[in-house]
């Protein structure tokens, strides 16, 4: 075991290999407030990569309805349970300690790597605490879709006459869109006895070498997000490849410029923004003030890692859904939750402008610039002042090409009363 620095946990942690970081890291932000559960992302991925024999139950991208849904079923609850059993009552954060490198505080509990030593099987200790889902758990990716939870139950045959209001709804659900997080400390890679999994030095994408893989499924057991999947026809494991030809700028549609993955580009709700962030030699993010992902994760701090306590340092970040009860969100996104929801619910001028970059162009944005516009209106949101300006936000590709220019105020199209079905 080596000691590596996990900035999401605000401390060093144990990992089976020496730390090694890419120059740039594949990363993304999903805004869960906007996801409509349409599964366009899921189908964009499936029709590109997993449409062949043996891949019928293979969903590299999935969208599950929380709190009950999950693919495989109950993946998160099961891993959280294992951690709780390994460290009863100890999976807590000290969120009073905040500095630039540990923005959410310090995790005092055990990660899946640290807890693994206590989970001894006949084969010895695991590299990462985990479990192998059953075939049944993989079989139905969308169970519990749209099933809400909450205190107020509806009466059969009657409309619910109450209402819901922010800041928290009593009856709620939300869609959680997920792909492989291309983690900085991948549990799949740590657990592979064949060294078949590697992390690319140029962009941090985690891949399985299909020639070396023998289908032992140790990656599937170890990945806490269950994003490594087994294919019976080839007897190998497969996983999201981050659409690497697009990331490399080899998709003809991009004209040589790096493009976002298929799931990002197909997103109807414009919830997704993906990019390549610069890394320091200690695995923290290099300051890049006008990179949209750096801004959202490190400056506005509205986007948070999913289950950071697992310890893999996932490179997927989420803007939490603002209507969901905070205790549920805190166990999922850590102690940065309350500040993130607050910042998103009452966005400042820059955040409102950067949010317009989502879904505007399939090419990857490396830098943004804001040109100030006139004030549109001001109001009060739950006791706090809010002003909206019609600023213009401009996004640039890797080579400086302008790829996005859009305003904060969205255009309104009024349909003609004579031709109601046309615009
Ligand atoms: S999400 Fe799972 S499969 Fe993807 S890199 Fe992390 S540990 Fe590996
Ligand atoms: S395409 Fe976008 S909005 Fe639709 S389910 Fe996927 S992430 Fe959600």
């Amino acid at each position: 075991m080596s000691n590596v620095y996990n900035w999401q946990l605000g401390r060093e942690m144990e990992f089976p290999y020496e730390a090694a970081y890419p120059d740039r890291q594949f990363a993304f932000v999903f805004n869960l407030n906007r996801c409509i559960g349409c599964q366009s992302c899921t189908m964009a991925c499936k029709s590109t990569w997993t449409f062949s024999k043996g891949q019928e139950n293979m969903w590299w991208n999935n969208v599950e309805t929380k709190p009950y849904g999950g693919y495989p079923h109950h993946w998160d609850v099961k891993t959280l349970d294992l951690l709780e059993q390994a460290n009863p009552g100890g999976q807590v954060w000290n969120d009073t300690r905040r500095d630039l490198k540990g923005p959410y505080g310090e995790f005092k509990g055990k990660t899946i790597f640290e807890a693994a030593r206590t989970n001894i099987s006949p084969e010895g200790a695991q590299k990462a605490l985990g479990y192998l889902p059953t075939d049944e758990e993989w079989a139905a990716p969308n169970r519990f879709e749209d099933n809400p939870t909450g205190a107020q139950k509806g009466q059969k045959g009657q409309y619910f006459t109450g209402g819901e209001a922010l800041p928290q709804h009593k009856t709620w659900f939300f869609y959680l869109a997920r792909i492989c997080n291309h983690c900085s400390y991948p549990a799949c890679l740590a657990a592979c006895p064949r060294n078949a999994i590697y992390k690319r030095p140029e962009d941090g994408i985690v891949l399985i070498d299909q020639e070396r893989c023998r289908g032992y499924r140790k990656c599937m057991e170890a990945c806490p997000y269950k994003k490594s999947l087994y294919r019976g026809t080839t007897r190998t494991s497969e996983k999201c490849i981050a659409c690497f030809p697009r990331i490399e700028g080899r998709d003809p549609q991009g004209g040589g410029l790096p493009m976002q993955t298929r799931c990002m580009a197909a997103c109807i709700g414009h919830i997704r923004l993906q990019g390549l962030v610069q890394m320091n030699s200690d695995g923290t993010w290099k300051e890049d003030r006008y990179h949209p992902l750096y801004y959202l994760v490190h400056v506005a701090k509205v986007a948070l890692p999913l289950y950071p306590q697992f310890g893999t340092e996932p490179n997927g970040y989420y803007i939490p859904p603002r209507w969901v009860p905070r205790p549920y969100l805190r166990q999922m996104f850590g102690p940065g939750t309350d500040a993130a929801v607050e910042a998103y619910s009452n966005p400042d001028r820059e955040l409102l402008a950067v949010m317009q970059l989502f879904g505007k162009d399939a090419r990857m944005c490396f830098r943004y610039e804001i040109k100030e516009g006139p004030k549109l209106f001001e109001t009060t949101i739950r006791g706090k002042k809010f002003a909206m300006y019609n600023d213009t936000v401009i996004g640039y590709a890797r080579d400086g090409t302008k790829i996005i220019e859009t305003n904060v105020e969205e255009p309104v199209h009024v349909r003609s009363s004579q031709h109601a079905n046309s615009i």
Side-chain angles (χ1 to χ4, degrees):
M1 283 279 180
S2 306
N3 273 339
V4 296
Y5 186 71
N6 184 326
W7 69 262
Q8 294 176 353
L9 303 184
R11 68 168 172 86
E12 290 197 336
M13 62 163 208
E14 292 173 2
F15 186 67
Y17 291 103
E18 293 286 323
Y21 307 105
D23 300 333
R24 281 196 181 260
Q25 172 64 53
F26 173 95
F28 57 87
V29 169
F30 289 178
N31 179 4
L32 297 182
N33 294 274
R34 283 185 181 169
C35 180
I36 53 173
C38 65
Q39 307 281 6
S40 304
C41 48
T42 308
M43 296 318 295
C45 177
K46 188 151 226 11
S47 60
T48 308
W49 301 114
T50 64
F51 52 80
S52 299
K53 215 170 176 185
Q55 295 178 311
E56 292 81 0
N57 284 335
M58 191 173 275
W59 305 91
W60 292 353
N61 181 106
N62 79 294
V63 183
E64 55 204 43
T65 299
K66 286 296 179 202
Y68 298 124
Y71 173 72
H73 297 165
H74 316 306
W75 61 273
D76 47 353
V77 177
K78 287 195 160 190
T79 300
L80 290 167
D81 259 3
L82 286 174
L83 282 167
E84 188 58 33
Q85 283 168 32
N87 186 24
Q91 296 297 91
V92 293
W93 292 76
N94 171 6
D95 61 359
T96 52
R97 205 204 113 205
R98 300 238 167 134
D99 57 39
L100 196 65
K101 289 189 170 180
Y104 316 125
E106 189 177 357
F107 182 55
K108 307 301 277 182
K110 287 186 178 169
T111 66
I112 55 168
F113 305 110
E114 293 159 343
R117 277 185 280 137
T118 58
N119 201 30
I120 314 288
S121 73
E123 298 166 31
Q126 290 180 313
K127 288 281 196 292
L129 186 72
Y131 74 98
L132 210 50
T134 63
D135 287 353
E136 288 73 29
E137 288 169 340
W138 287 115
N142 222 13
R143 266 183 79 194
F144 299 110
E145 185 175 49
D146 293 354
N147 272 33
T149 185
Q152 301 198 355
K153 308 286 181 213
Q155 295 288 321
K156 199 171 179 199
Q158 284 180 26
Y159 287 120
F160 175 59
T161 52
E164 292 288 6
L166 290 172
Q168 291 179 44
H169 291 184
K170 293 194 189 74
T171 303
W172 58 273
F173 70 81
F174 68 96
Y175 301 115
L176 181 68
R178 301 200 301 119
I179 62 171
C180 165
N181 294 294
H182 298 278
C183 306
S184 291
Y185 304 113
C188 56
L189 179 153
C192 177
R194 293 272 307 160
N195 289 347
I197 303 185
Y198 60 104
K199 189 167 173 67
R200 305 205 313 179
E202 63 269 41
D203 50 24
I205 291 173
V206 176
L207 297 175
I208 302 176
D209 182 338
Q210 294 295 299
E211 297 295 318
R212 289 200 61 78
C213 178
R214 291 288 179 274
Y216 299 147
R217 291 182 287 175
K218 287 289 171 190
C219 50
M220 194 199 249
E221 182 179 295
C223 170
Y225 303 97
K226 298 296 170 230
K227 279 295 172 190
S228 180
L229 302 100
Y230 181 68
R231 181 170 175 183
T233 49
T234 56
R235 297 187 147 203
T236 57
S237 297
E238 295 180 1
K239 62 178 282 304
C240 160
I241 59 167
C243 293
F244 68 79
R246 286 166 70 92
I247 303 298
E248 291 168 2
R250 290 197 282 128
D251 188 316
Q253 279 190 334
L257 293 173
M259 292 189 81
Q260 300 186 59
T261 63
R262 289 272 293 127
C263 59
M264 313 282 169
C267 175
I268 301 283
H270 291 191
I271 86 153
R272 297 175 173 225
L273 192 68
Q274 179 246 311
L276 291 167
V277 295
Q278 297 186 69
M279 303 285 278
N280 288 316
S281 56
D282 66 352
T284 55
W285 290 24
K286 204 174 265 182
E287 186 174 348
D288 193 356
R289 179 61 182 78
Y290 293 99
H291 189 292
L293 298 188
Y294 183 88
Y295 169 76
L296 292 165
V297 172
H298 286 287
V299 181
K301 296 183 183 166
V302 285
L304 303 169
L306 177 65
Y307 292 117
Q309 65 269 40
F310 290 165
T312 64
E313 208 180 276
N315 288 298
Y317 294 83
Y318 291 84
I319 303 178
R322 64 194 192 283
W323 60 91
V324 173
R326 303 298 180 263
Y328 188 86
L329 294 178
R330 280 184 212 120
Q331 57 89 34
M332 185 171 257
F333 300 112
T337 297
D338 295 77
V341 173
E342 196 48 44
Y344 182 77
S345 303
N346 192 349
D348 65 19
R349 195 167 176 173
E350 186 168 3
L351 179 55
L352 212 50
V354 171
M355 293 307 302
Q356 311 309 315
L357 294 170
F358 284 65
K360 288 291 189 304
D361 197 283
R363 290 165 295 182
M364 217 185 281
C365 179
F366 284 71
R367 183 171 65 84
Y368 69 89
E369 180 187 2
I370 296 172
K371 291 204 172 128
E372 294 194 344
K375 188 192 270 188
L376 293 173
F377 71 95
E378 55 186 20
T379 185
T380 307
I381 299 177
R382 287 190 299 284
K384 289 192 182 152
K385 277 193 175 165
F386 169 79
M388 185 169 163
Y389 297 83
N390 194 18
D391 295 335
T392 302
V393 59
I394 303 162
Y396 298 96
R398 184 173 56 188
D399 67 354
T401 305
K402 188 198 281 187
I403 51 172
I404 302 168
E405 178 160 356
T406 188
N407 291 343
V408 169
E409 187 181 36
E410 295 186 355
V412 176
H413 300 283
V414 181
R415 288 183 182 182
S416 154
S417 57
Q418 285 181 319
H419 303 286
N421 288 329
S422 63
I423 47 172

